[in-house]
Amino acid sequence: MLLFTAPADLKSHLEEIHGPKTTLGLLPTMGALHNGHLELMRRAVAENDLTVASIFVNPLQFNNPDDLTKYPRTLDEDCAMLEAAGCDLVFAPSAEDMYAQPPTLKLDFGQLEHVMEGAFRPGHFNGVGIVVARLFHIVQPDRAYFGQKDLQQVAVVRRLVEDLAFPLELVVCPTVREADGLAMSSRNRRLNPQERVLAPLIFRTLSEAKERLLAGQTVADVKQRVREQFARQPEFSLEYFEVADARSLQPVAATLSDGQTALCIAANLGAVRLIDNVLF
Ligand code: PAF
């Protein structure tokens, strides 16, 4: 496995090895890899002739400076895991490699900016959009792999691909969970042992809410119940629990009949912000 830090070096290497008869899969990450990332990489390896994983903690997408500073950085460990999963190339630029000058471009994802992650993390999707577009330009993948856990990010990247006509296929893979249901996330390693025991409440809440909606309870009642459940848990601070259309991510007042309802949650557990969702 080869490691590149300079975008120009990776680009010229890929120009040599990625011809029209080979397919290239890209897995964009911010490192601190876990089994969820490795599942995506294994799928990319199975579906492509060549694979690139990017590891870049993108400052543009952090609206909270403390979150950026505390984001785990584990490059050596990440590279060893990627190599074992069959990855061919790792792209791990510094912020200076990636942004010689701070980008001034502002992307507007319309209504996606006004709900859930868009509403609670101003500027976040602008940063995601800019870095993902840059990665697509540098790597020019045939397929790009993203996890369903970041459902709204998937919707944003889909818009980016459509609006800017990137010639690639977006592959979205199911959320990988710990045995107790907690969605795998790089942030989980920042939970202390007590918080780690409490964290599965998020997935339990989503699963229970789904059952209640399927049993005919109204969206308003289910939302109220979730708010009450979290109010009883002082360790958590609930940012949002939303019942939304899984494609547009806009809130819905009743579940959709075509299997496209998404239940989405974001909550802070101590100093760690966790998100999760289920679709049905
Ligand atoms: O999901 C992530 O890890 C990041 O948002 C991404 C897509 C790598 C962009 O920095």
Side-chain angles (χ1 to χ4, degrees), residues 212-231:
R212 287 177 189 281
L213 288 166
L214 287 171
Q217 286 195 13
T218 65
V219 166
D221 284 351
V222 170
K223 280 185 172 176
Q224 178 61 23
R225 195 185 155 85
V226 169
R227 279 194 292 269
E228 285 167 5
Q229 256 174 309
F230 273 88

Side-chain angles (χ1 to χ4, degrees), residues 28-31 37 54 56 58 61 71 124 127-128 131-132 135 146 150 153 157:
T29 82
M30 296 204 299
H37 293 113
S54 63
F56 178 57
N58 173 32
Q61 71 186 73
Y71 204 87
H124 171 66
V128 169
V131 78
V132 169
L135 290 168
F146 289 85
D150 295 300
Q153 170 169 279
V157 174

Side-chain angles (χ1 to χ4, degrees), residues 108-112 136 152-166 170 247-248:
D108 181 348
F109 292 99
Q111 286 306 313
L112 281 171
F136 288 169
Q152 203 170 351
Q153 170 169 279
V154 168
V156 160
V157 174
R158 183 161 284 127
R159 280 312 298 258
L160 191 78
V161 169
E162 285 167 4
D163 289 0
L164 299 180
F166 281 105
L170 211 59
R247 293 148 299 201
S248 68

Side-chain angles (χ1 to χ4, degrees), residues 244-247 252 254-262 279-280:
D245 181 317
R247 293 148 299 201
V252 292
T255 54
L256 304 169
S257 54
D258 59 358
Q260 291 289 343
T261 307
L279 303 181
F280 66 100

Side-chain angles (χ1 to χ4, degrees), residues 8 52 130 178 197 210 232:
V52 177
I130 289 176
E178 304 287 356
V197 171
K210 174 179 155 183
R232 285 196 296 272

